[in-house]
Amino acid sequence: FPVTNKHCGKCHGVDIAAPKGGIYLGGEEVDCKINLSAVAAVLSGRMPPGSQLSAEDRHGVVLELSEAK
């Protein structure tokens, strides 16, 4: 997830022992409910906090999370 890790990895990435909100994006397991929650947060503009994603990056995050297997 290159775009997702760029914008979300600091708080929810593979190197985080205790990800914020219990939302872990990465690794072997994919949790569809978490991915849908992350997509909703990105689309609503709530995530990532403190920054606005460009339309291209927002599309990239949504695409990566929706295609995760």
Side-chain angles (χ1 to χ4, degrees):
F1 303 134
V3 178
T4 303
N5 284 332
K6 175 182 172 186
H7 294 290
C8 309
K10 179 179 167 188
C11 297
H12 305 288
V14 295
D15 296 327
I16 305 299
K20 288 190 176 185
I23 297 174
Y24 172 73
L25 302 172
E28 297 293 319
E29 296 181 28
V30 174
D31 185 327
C32 291
K33 288 169 70 175
I34 287 177
N35 282 2
L36 288 174
S37 294
V39 166
V42 168
L43 290 176
S44 72
R46 292 180 294 146
M47 295 293 160
S51 67
Q52 286 287 84
L53 295 179
S54 68
E56 183 178 348
D57 282 349
R58 189 170 41 253
H59 174 76
V61 169
V62 170
L63 185 64
E64 288 175 356
L65 293 175
S66 64
E67 290 182 346
K69 297 178 183 177

